[in-house]
Amino acid sequence: MERLIQGFDRFRREMTDDQRELFARLASGQTPHTMFITCADSRVMPELMFSAQPGELFVYRNVGNIVPPYAQHVSGVVAAIEYAVTALKVKHIVICGHSDCGAMKALQNPAALKGKPSVEQWLKHADVARYVVAENRPTILGEEGLRYLTEENVVGQLEHLRTLPAVAAAMANGSLRIHGWIYDFARTEITAFDPLEGGFRPLGADVATAPDATPHARFSVRQTVASAA
Ligand SMILES: [Zn+2]
């Protein structure tokens, strides 16, 4: 606890004038551009990873970066997504898994869940990944199997994300885009799900060519205007 108290004291003392000004500006509201859903793992540090300023990222974390499907489970993450989309009007939602994920390891080895009934229940929302890998890559185990599980979990959670009415409505008019990423600690690398290729590829600096998991919007602003005319 002493570590936290001293850390906060240092944060206050070392705050720059620009930071002080930014916090003063943010005191009465926030307009984050992106909701970032990731694992609770202490090695994933979203603001640090993206050199993000306060007010930019609406971060939600849970065990396994999971989004339960709509109407199946009323959870904090589902409420936070609804708020982010309808009230904060975020333009992007990223679901980010990571290397060496304890939740994914537990999917690989269910015996590790003994004595953890709540975690076991929660990870049922990631069963889709376990089944996809077991059915299609049954012989791939160990590190490589863990990578497949982590990737399929992100793909499965993107599918769950689309079942939320607020998300589906915003995606249909093109105001919201969704992305599935994996962060690798050891390589300091992020890969992004590319539905056209059906796999994950490195997230480069070129935004125009960055993989995007969003299907084509059916009701774009232009189409709505045209049909109203
Ligand atoms: Zn994790």
Side-chain angles (χ1 to χ4, degrees):
M1 197 45 58
E2 200 180 326
R3 165 73 191 84
L4 295 188
I5 294 167
Q6 286 173 354
F8 183 61
D9 187 49
R10 186 175 163 191
F11 167 68
R12 276 205 298 196
R13 274 189 285 111
E14 295 181 358
M15 192 180 278
T16 64
D17 288 345
D18 284 351
Q19 285 174 319
R20 226 175 283 277
E21 208 175 286
L22 179 60
F23 278 117
R25 251 189 294 137
L26 290 170
S28 57
Q30 58 167 334
T31 51
H33 49 73
T34 300
M35 178 172 193
F36 195 81
I37 299 167
T38 191
C39 188
D41 193 294
S42 62
R43 297 164 293 179
V44 182
M45 300 178 73
E47 285 85 356
L48 188 71
M49 282 158 58
F50 302 107
S51 312
Q53 293 296 312
E56 278 196 89
L57 299 178
F58 190 68
V59 177
Y60 195 96
R61 314 178 66 139
N62 62 34
V63 171
N65 39 273
I66 282 166
V67 177
Y70 182 68
Q72 202 186 86
H73 182 90
V74 177
S75 62
V77 62
V78 166
I81 292 166
E82 195 174 275
Y83 181 75
V85 173
T86 60
L88 301 177
K89 311 274 185 209
V90 293
K91 294 181 172 58
H92 302 272
I93 297 179
V94 178
I95 296 181
C96 187
H98 66 94
S99 56
D100 196 48
C101 181
M104 296 302 107
K105 285 178 172 175
L107 278 187
Q108 225 178 7
N109 173 29
L113 292 169
K114 196 167 179 287
K116 303 177 188 69
S118 301
V119 179
E120 188 174 12
Q121 191 65 26
W122 178 244
L123 289 181
K124 292 254 183 270
H125 298 300
D127 260 354
V128 59
R130 196 159 56 79
Y131 272 82
V132 168
V133 175
E135 290 293 320
N136 298 290
R137 294 284 187 274
T139 56
I140 298 178
L141 305 167
E143 284 290 309
E144 205 182 352
L146 184 63
R147 185 171 59 80
Y148 273 115
L149 261 182
T150 306
E151 290 183 353
E152 287 306 324
N153 181 50
V154 167
V155 174
Q157 303 312 323
L158 284 171
E159 296 294 336
H160 293 171
L161 184 61
R162 287 189 200 138
T163 67
L164 273 57
V167 170
M171 285 175 67
N173 66 30
S175 61
L176 175 71
R177 304 188 77 78
I178 62 172
H179 314 265
W181 294 357
I182 310 274
Y183 172 47
D184 188 309
F185 306 127
R187 296 181 184 160
T188 322
E189 182 186 78
I190 290 177
T191 48
F193 177 57
D194 184 342
L196 296 176
E197 286 187 9
F200 282 73
R201 60 185 175 94
L203 188 68
D206 186 352
V207 176
T209 61
D212 189 339
T214 312
H216 185 68
R218 280 172 294 145
F219 303 104
S220 70
V221 174
R222 191 166 55 80
Q223 281 172 324
T224 307
V225 170
S227 61

